[in-house]
Amino acid sequence: MRLRRATTAAATALGALALALSLPASAAVAATGTFTYVYEGGGPQLGVLVDPPSGECITLPEVAPGFLPPAHSPRNHTGSTATVFTGADCDGDYFTLRPNGGHASERLKLRSVAFS
């Protein structure tokens, strides 16, 4: 009887481990905090991303069309590294902002960002 319980316990533990390994990685991973930038919209406006998703490109909606001026003055107050790009869809030249306070001046132009 003792061997049967041990076998059942081992099988249950192995099944739980297999289930845990088969589940997809959480898609809800986020760069916790805020990322801000300035864009022109009838005067300077502040854009904010709150807890943005990690591992995917975010094109800033206010400056996505190429005929609009790009955003500038990014401030990264998330816990993740932010890589900003001069083009939409994380294209073009890029610059990396450190987590928890990395920032750049109005000389740095951006249209998209990705968080690690």
Side-chain angles (χ1 to χ4, degrees):
M1 193 65 140
R2 186 180 289 181
L3 181 58
R4 179 177 237 175
R5 280 191 219 147
T7 303
T8 302
T12 302
L14 186 58
L17 177 62
L19 178 62
L21 293 176
S22 69
L23 293 174
S26 174
V29 175
T32 305
T34 59
F35 177 84
T36 62
Y37 51 94
V38 176
Y39 67 95
E40 296 302 320
Q45 303 288 319
L46 185 65
V48 180
L49 300 175
V50 179
D51 297 338
S54 294
E56 62 183 70
C57 180
I58 301 168
T59 297
L60 306 177
E62 302 89 351
V63 298
F67 61 85
L68 294 175
H72 59 84
S73 307
R75 295 191 174 276
N76 182 22
H77 292 288
T78 72
S80 299
T81 299
T83 303
V84 299
F85 296 84
T86 57
D89 301 317
C90 295
D91 192 28
D93 294 332
Y94 62 91
F95 186 80
T96 302
L97 301 172
R98 65 180 169 75
N100 303 312
H103 62 279
S105 73
E106 65 184 40
R107 293 184 321 198
L108 180 65
K109 307 302 183 192
L110 65 144
R111 291 189 189 275
S112 56
V113 61
F115 297 89
S116 62

